[in-house]
C-alpha cells in the first residue's frame, strides 16, 4: 500500500509548518504579491491568502493543476506555462517568489536563468525562497550546491547586464537540523535571496 508524499497520506501538516515558517523568514505581510514557481494546484498560495491576505500567482506546467486551483482557490491566479520564460511578467511586480521542490526539475543552467528572471520581477527589497535544492542521491533530480548560486548571481542575464544587486541570505544545500526539529528555521536545503535595488 502506498503512502503518498513523504511517506504519509496527508502531508498538509508538514507543508503548513514549512510555509508558516516562511512568513517570518520572508517578512510576508497582507497585500503582498507572491509568485509560486511550480506551485502545482496552488495550495501554498491559498494558505498565504487565507491566513495573511496576500495575493498569489502560480506558474506551473500542469493544465490540470491550474484548472483545479481555479475551481478551489478563487482568490489566487494560476497560469499554465513553461516557467523557464517569465518575460510575460512585468519587472518589479512581485514582493516574493517561492518555489518548493520544483526548480530542481530543470537543468542547472536553466535554474540560474530562472533565478535571474525572479530577480527581475521582484520589487526592491523582495526575496526569493527556493526549497529543496539538494542533490538527489539517485539522480532523480538535479540539485546544485551553494557555490553554484553564488556564481549564478554574478552572471549577466541573457548576456546583458541586469544592473541588479542581490544577496544570498541563506543557502543550505543539504538536509540539516536547526533548533529542535527538522522544520525549525532555516528549513532544510533552502536558498533565500534578497533583491537590493
Amino acid at each position: 500500500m502506498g503512502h503518498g508524499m513523504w511517506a504519509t497520506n496527508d502531508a498538509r501538516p508538514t507543508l503548513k509548518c514549512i510555509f508558516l515558517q516562511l512568513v517570518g523568514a520572508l517578512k510576508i505581510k497582507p497585500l503582498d504579491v507572491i509568485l509560486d514557481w511550480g506551485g502545482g494546484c496552488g495550495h501554498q498560495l491559498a494558505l498565504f491568502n487565507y491566513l495573511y491576505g496576500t495575493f498569489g500567482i502560480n506558474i506551473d506546467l500542469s493544465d490540470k493543476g491550474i484548472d483545479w486551483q481555479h475551481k478551489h482557490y478563487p482568490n489566487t491566479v494560476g497560469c499554465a506555462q513553461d516557467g523557464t520564460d517569465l518575460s510575460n511578467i512585468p519587472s518589479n511586480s512581485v514582493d516574493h517568489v517561492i518555489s518548493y521542490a520544483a526548480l530542481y526539475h530543470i537543468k542547472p543552467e536553466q535554474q540560474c536563468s530562472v533565478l535571474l528572471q525572479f530577480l527581475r520581477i521582484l520589487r526592491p527589497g523582495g526575496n526569493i525562497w527556493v526549497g529543496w535544492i539538494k542533490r538527489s542521491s539517485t539522480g532523480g533530480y538535479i540539485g546544485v550546491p551553494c557555490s553554484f548560486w553564488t556564481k549564478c548571481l554574478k552572471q549577466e542575464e541573457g548576456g546583458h547586464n541586469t544592473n541588479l544587486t542581490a544577496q544570498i541570505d541563506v543557502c543550505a544545500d543539504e538536509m540539516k537540523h536547526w533548533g529542535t526539529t527538522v522544520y525549525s528555521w532555516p528549513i532544510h536545503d533552502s536558498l533565500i535571496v534578497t533583491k537590493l535595488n
Side-chain angles (χ1 to χ4, degrees):
M1 182 169 120
H3 287 289
M5 189 160 114
W6 297 339
T8 179
N9 287 324
D10 188 359
R12 289 176 298 179
T14 302
L15 291 173
K16 182 178 180 184
C17 179
I18 291 168
F19 289 102
L20 291 180
Q21 292 289 329
L22 283 178
V23 171
L26 302 183
K27 299 175 182 72
I28 293 172
K29 56 193 179 305
L31 303 180
D32 277 358
V33 178
I34 303 171
L35 175 84
D36 190 352
W37 191 93
C41 297
H43 300 299
Q44 297 85 246
L45 294 176
L47 178 67
F48 288 137
N49 174 261
Y50 176 75
L51 294 176
Y52 300 100
T54 61
F55 178 74
I57 305 163
N58 179 21
I59 302 292
D60 198 90
L61 275 174
S62 170
D63 291 340
K64 290 180 182 179
I66 297 298
D67 289 345
W68 193 94
Q69 176 186 345
H70 289 156
K71 289 178 188 172
H72 294 89
Y73 303 132
N75 292 331
T76 63
V77 174
C79 182
Q81 74 174 58
D82 176 357
T84 61
D85 179 6
L86 302 176
S87 61
N88 60 325
I89 301 174
S91 297
N92 303 311
S93 62
V94 301
D95 298 294
H96 311 281
V97 177
I98 63 172
S99 180
Y100 188 58
L103 199 60
Y104 62 60
H105 289 292
I106 60 176
K107 295 176 183 175
E109 59 273 9
Q110 291 175 307
Q111 291 182 41
C112 179
S113 172
V114 169
L115 182 74
L116 294 173
Q117 291 179 71
F118 289 168
L119 285 170
R120 180 189 59 77
I121 66 175
L122 271 179
R123 293 182 177 125
N127 43 39
I128 300 162
W129 174 68
V130 180
W132 213 303
I133 61 170
K134 66 181 180 177
R135 294 174 184 266
S136 167
S137 59
T138 62
Y141 53 85
I142 308 166
V144 293
C146 291
S147 59
F148 170 87
W149 297 112
T150 301
K151 183 178 177 183
C152 171
L153 288 176
K154 294 178 181 176
Q155 291 186 20
E156 299 174 345
E157 182 179 7
H160 302 288
N161 188 341
T162 61
N163 293 318
L164 297 175
T165 57
Q167 70 183 26
I168 294 177
D169 298 315
V170 173
C171 190
D173 53 9
E174 60 183 64
M175 185 77 129
K176 294 182 181 178
H177 292 262
W178 283 274
T180 57
T181 72
V182 71
Y183 299 109
S184 296
W185 188 256
I187 301 165
H188 63 83
D189 57 301
S190 292
L191 172 71
I192 298 179
V193 177
T194 299
K195 180 177 177 178
L196 302 176
N197 70 351

